[in-house]
Amino acid sequence: MEQPLTWLDWVYVGVGTGLLFVGLVFWSILGYLPIKPKRSKFDWQPDLELPADVHVLGSEYPQRDGAFFRYLVKRTYTVPKDPEEYAKIFVPTKDRKGSAE
């Protein structure tokens, strides 16, 4: 036959339940807060003067990767202005890894 809980047992149960509830509320608030990365203008400037026949393209997007806070990933690409030269980037050649023979 089980013994009823004593007043001290009820205190332990109450304090433990209260702490668990406060912790869950705190964690859920932190988990669902809309933490937005800083939006900055794309202010990248090349170190050297670029030739007149290339464009500089850039992307900026949020990344999570298991981290607690989000951060922005910035990438820049230089591509030729001429459409035919730009298309040659995507044509496989023998000297590039993983390309067709």
Side-chain angles (χ1 to χ4, degrees), residues 5-60:
L5 295 177
T6 64
W7 68 273
L8 189 57
D9 293 334
W10 281 108
V11 169
Y12 289 146
V13 169
V15 169
T17 305
L19 287 174
L20 179 67
F21 179 73
V22 169
L24 287 174
V25 167
F26 181 72
W27 188 253
S28 65
I29 288 172
L30 276 180
Y32 289 106
L33 266 176
I35 301 171
K36 295 182 181 178
K38 287 184 182 178
R39 292 294 299 163
S40 62
K41 292 183 180 175
F42 195 72
D43 56 357
W44 176 82
Q45 294 295 324
D47 292 335
L48 302 172
E49 189 66 33
L50 292 173
D53 60 342
V54 296
H55 283 296
V56 177
L57 304 177
S59 64
E60 186 176 296

Side-chain angles (χ1 to χ4, degrees), residues 34-96:
I35 301 171
K36 295 182 181 178
K38 287 184 182 178
R39 292 294 299 163
S40 62
K41 292 183 180 175
F42 195 72
D43 56 357
W44 176 82
Q45 294 295 324
D47 292 335
L48 302 172
E49 189 66 33
L50 292 173
D53 60 342
V54 296
H55 283 296
V56 177
L57 304 177
S59 64
E60 186 176 296
Y61 58 93
Q63 181 107 1
R64 187 119 189 205
D65 283 343
F68 185 71
F69 293 106
R70 294 181 182 119
Y71 56 92
L72 284 179
V73 174
K74 295 181 182 181
R75 298 205 176 167
T76 56
Y77 311 93
T78 55
V79 295
K81 286 183 181 179
D82 181 29
E84 290 180 8
E85 289 295 319
Y86 180 71
K88 287 180 184 178
I89 295 173
F90 302 102
V91 175
T93 60
K94 288 183 180 181
D95 59 337
R96 291 190 198 158

